[in-house]
Amino acid sequence: MSKKPFYITTTLPYVNSDPHVGFAMEIIRADVIARHRALTGHEVFFNTGTDEHGVKIYQKAFGEGENTQKFVDRYVEKFKNLKDILGLSQDIHFIRTTDPHHISAAQEFWRRCDKAGYIYKKNYKTKYCTGCELEKTDTELENGRCIIHPTLDLLIIEEENYFFRFSLFGKRLLDLYEKTPDFVVPNSRLNEIRAFVERGLEDFSISRLASKMPWGIAVPNDADHVMYVWFDALVNYISTLGWPNDTANFEKFWANGTPVQYCGKDNLRQQAAMWQAMLMAVGLPNSRHVVIDGFITGEGGLKMSKTLGNTVEPIDVVKEYDTDALRYFVCRELSPFEDGAFSLEKFKEAYNANLANGLGNLASRTLKMVADNTVTIDWKSVEDISNAVYSSALESFNIKAACDEIWKLIQQTDKLIQDGQPFKVVKTDPEKGKEMIQALGKNLYIIARMLEPVLPSTAETIKKLIKEGKTPESPLFMRK
């Protein structure tokens, strides 16, 4: 029986500066889930890309005296390079919101919303956070500033814009949350978005005057306006599947598959409410899961973000350590759903304790015993993983819990060596000693299989060495 097609997407980061470790966390975690689903027999469509419109990008390019298109082209390459830097699945799809197909898809989405009666025009005045690219009510401010971007001044926008009738979708959204209690993961975020909707929804602006902010997708039949960045960018989740012209992948992965969106907690409203209402407006199926990451915090506990300028670049970490070291840290050392602090000191401690002295040491000792004693490992007998806790954790997007299960087996296997001392037994009782070493080799192979979604390069290396009966030429984890 074939398994349901699986679709997973990250948010699209703004290309107003270099990639930082916060987005690296999001895309690595999405990659872990994509790899797990592929390994368990699902056909997978994995999407990421770049969000290239909006006032933040326009202002940054203007400030640097550069043509906006050239500015975004330059930064897009840095995000494309993440595929190799972060060890991402090689068949990952990459969409740009300046692609001609996406532009036409966003305009068609607008037309369908308009035809259905969900778009209108009015004058308004609002407080606007350029960091969030969102309008803010007084209840969302602290000391007159955005809670998420407290160092940024709010803009006061007063003009005539097009609006989306968000206020009409409250009941339908609440029904969606009621019918699919695992729609937002974790449950605490579902409660949060439900409370937001229950307080009553307000229509939101979906355009900007082109005379003030020309860098955007033109509103159909009104050259004086460009689309508001969120209305444009959210459509990428289906435009990347070929919608509306070539709908084969859309039907397979979105309409009849399991569409999953990964995002940070500052995207909860946009992903779990605004986008869902937009889909309802044009009669398209809703997402299946919206998975919410916490923030990676820097100095002073502030969210690590490009806007605040307190970021760590993933390429710097990978250059000093390696790709799998970074993947390990964001998958196991940080909470899967709540905020977590990142510092190079914490990273080094985790690297030494759990990779170099943990997994790396166990693999080296076991592989040496296997090679030195010409022990044959029947690795095919342990090819299938039957760890229910591990599988269940990945199915529910709790990557840390899955990693903890792997490290539990690492510790158990290490204890077998410490307690049984097979390296001594094999000298006095070769048959018994080889049986003990064979058991260790099988455990190591199971560990490698479980590591495949999380640390793909390391997993492949260990599996190859077991099959060839060889020891690693150098330590598996060694700083560069």
Side-chain angles (χ1 to χ4, degrees):
M1 182 178 177
S2 62
K3 296 191 176 182
K4 207 170 186 182
F6 186 79
Y7 171 93
I8 189 164
T9 181
T10 69
T11 52
L12 300 191
Y14 288 118
V15 289
N16 58 329
S17 63
D18 293 338
H20 67 81
V21 76
F23 179 66
M25 175 180 73
E26 180 180 315
I27 198 169
I28 286 170
R29 289 176 174 178
D31 184 64
V32 170
I33 300 301
R35 286 177 179 275
H36 167 68
R37 291 290 181 139
L39 287 166
T40 52
H42 296 263
E43 187 176 358
V44 175
F45 193 106
F46 181 15
N47 178 63
T48 191
T50 44
D51 186 352
E52 301 175 32
H53 294 124
V55 66
K56 284 200 291 191
I57 291 168
Y58 179 69
Q59 289 177 343
K60 186 72 179 290
F62 182 82
E64 295 187 10
E66 190 172 5
N67 170 274
T68 312
Q69 186 64 59
K70 288 183 178 178
F71 174 87
V72 297
D73 287 345
R74 180 161 55 87
Y75 274 100
V76 161
E77 290 307 309
K78 298 183 179 186
F79 283 88
K80 284 186 174 180
N81 290 340
L82 289 179
K83 181 162 80 170
D84 292 329
I85 293 169
L86 302 179
L88 305 177
S89 306
Q90 290 303 300
D91 57 353
I92 189 171
H93 296 259
F94 192 98
I95 187 168
R96 299 180 59 177
T97 58
T98 53
D99 286 344
H101 169 70
H102 172 77
I103 290 171
S104 65
Q107 290 174 325
E108 177 59 21
F109 197 96
W110 178 289
R111 291 188 193 97
R112 294 189 187 190
C113 277
D114 191 25
K115 186 178 179 180
Y118 293 113
I119 293 176
Y120 67 100
K121 207 178 195 181
K122 75 169 183 178
N123 288 301
Y124 83 117
K125 181 177 180 179
T126 191
K127 296 169 182 174
Y128 186 82
C129 173
T130 55
C132 295
E133 294 272 25
L134 279 178
E135 298 153 9
K136 295 290 177 176
T137 63
D138 288 339
T139 59
E140 297 173 297
L141 305 177
E142 193 172 278
N143 299 319
R145 289 175 180 258
C146 172
I147 296 170
I148 298 171
H149 299 97
T151 64
L152 297 181
D153 292 329
L154 294 173
L155 293 180
I156 304 299
I157 295 178
E158 188 171 7
E159 59 187 41
E160 185 180 50
N161 286 169
Y162 286 95
F163 276 73
F164 176 73
R165 298 185 188 275
F166 194 36
S167 58
L168 299 181
F169 291 90
K171 185 180 184 306
R172 291 177 67 180
L173 286 170
L174 292 174
D175 287 345
L176 171 65
Y177 306 152
E178 184 66 28
K179 290 175 183 174
T180 49
D182 59 349
F183 177 73
V184 178
V185 180
N187 187 254
S188 59
R189 298 297 176 198
L190 178 65
N191 292 337
E192 187 179 329
I193 195 63
R194 183 188 287 116
F196 169 79
V197 174
E198 286 174 343
R199 288 194 295 270
L201 301 176
E202 296 182 8
D203 298 346
F204 61 85
S205 168
I206 56 172
S207 77
R208 294 290 181 265
L209 286 173
S211 59
K212 292 183 179 180
M213 212 294 291
W215 187 243
I217 296 176
V219 167
N221 303 316
D222 191 341
D224 292 336
H225 287 259
V226 296
M227 291 186 193
Y228 165 57
V229 63
W230 277 107
F231 193 91
D232 142 30
L234 289 166
V235 178
N236 95 84
Y237 298 145
I238 58 174
S239 69
T240 192
L241 293 168
W243 186 92
N245 304 320
D246 182 1
T247 59
N249 274 338
F250 173 79
E251 291 297 328
K252 178 191 288 186
F253 291 101
W254 190 279
N256 298 302
T258 305
V260 175
Q261 296 161 216
Y262 247 94
C263 65
K265 67 181 184 180
D266 54 342
N267 270 231
L268 175 62
R269 183 198 314 182
Q270 298 93 310
Q271 309 291 330
M274 291 165 62
W275 172 233
Q276 305 310 319
M278 289 163 60
L279 288 166
M280 292 171 179
V282 297
L284 295 178
N286 289 104
S287 311
R288 178 60 186 87
H289 300 289
V290 178
V291 185
I292 309 295
D293 277 328
F295 290 153
I296 291 186
T297 58
E299 294 295 328
L302 286 175
K303 173 197 175 187
M304 195 175 281
S305 76
K306 291 178 288 190
T307 305
L308 299 178
N310 62 346
T311 62
V312 173
E313 293 187 22
I315 190 169
D316 293 337
V317 178
V318 170
K319 278 180 179 177
E320 184 173 353
Y321 295 87
D322 63 24
T323 296
D324 276 2
L326 179 60
R327 288 177 68 101
Y328 166 79
F329 190 89
V330 302
C331 288
R332 185 169 186 239
E333 298 296 327
L334 297 175
S335 167
F337 309 121
E338 302 302 328
D339 294 355
F342 183 100
S343 71
L344 291 177
E345 183 180 356
K346 288 171 72 75
F347 184 92
K348 182 179 178 180
E349 288 175 1
Y351 178 89
N352 288 332
N354 298 308
L355 291 180
N357 298 327
L359 171 62
N361 185 50
L362 173 67
S364 295
R365 294 177 73 187
T366 301
L367 290 166
K368 188 175 188 308
M369 283 188 279
V370 169
D372 287 351
N373 297 281
T374 59
V375 173
T376 301
I377 304 300
D378 182 13
W379 55 267
K380 289 183 179 179
S381 68
V382 289
E383 184 67 32
D384 292 330
I385 301 170
S386 58
N387 187 304
V389 175
Y390 166 86
S391 299
S392 176
L394 287 177
E395 292 294 317
S396 58
F397 311 100
N398 192 337
I399 297 172
K400 175 175 167 49
C403 288
D404 287 344
E405 198 65 17
I406 299 171
W407 259 261
K408 186 187 295 182
L409 183 55
I410 290 171
Q411 290 161 2
Q412 289 171 350
T413 307
D414 193 54
K415 192 172 188 301
L416 289 176
I417 297 175
Q418 300 303 322
D419 294 349
Q421 298 189 323
F423 49 88
K424 290 183 178 178
V425 174
V426 76
K427 295 175 182 177
T428 57
D429 187 343
E431 186 175 347
K432 181 179 180 182
K434 286 188 176 185
E435 286 179 1
M436 295 170 71
I437 293 169
Q438 190 174 61
L440 294 175
K442 285 186 175 182
N443 269 15
L444 184 60
Y445 195 86
I446 293 170
I447 289 165
R449 287 281 288 119
M450 294 169 76
L451 282 171
E452 282 186 62
V454 186
L455 309 184
S457 178
T458 301
E460 193 58 36
T461 297
I462 294 173
K463 286 169 60 183
K464 185 173 184 291
L465 290 169
I466 289 175
K467 291 175 183 179
E468 295 176 354
K470 294 180 179 178
T471 57
E473 294 179 2
S474 61
L476 289 180
F477 295 97
M478 181 172 61
R479 292 179 65 178
K480 298 175 183 177

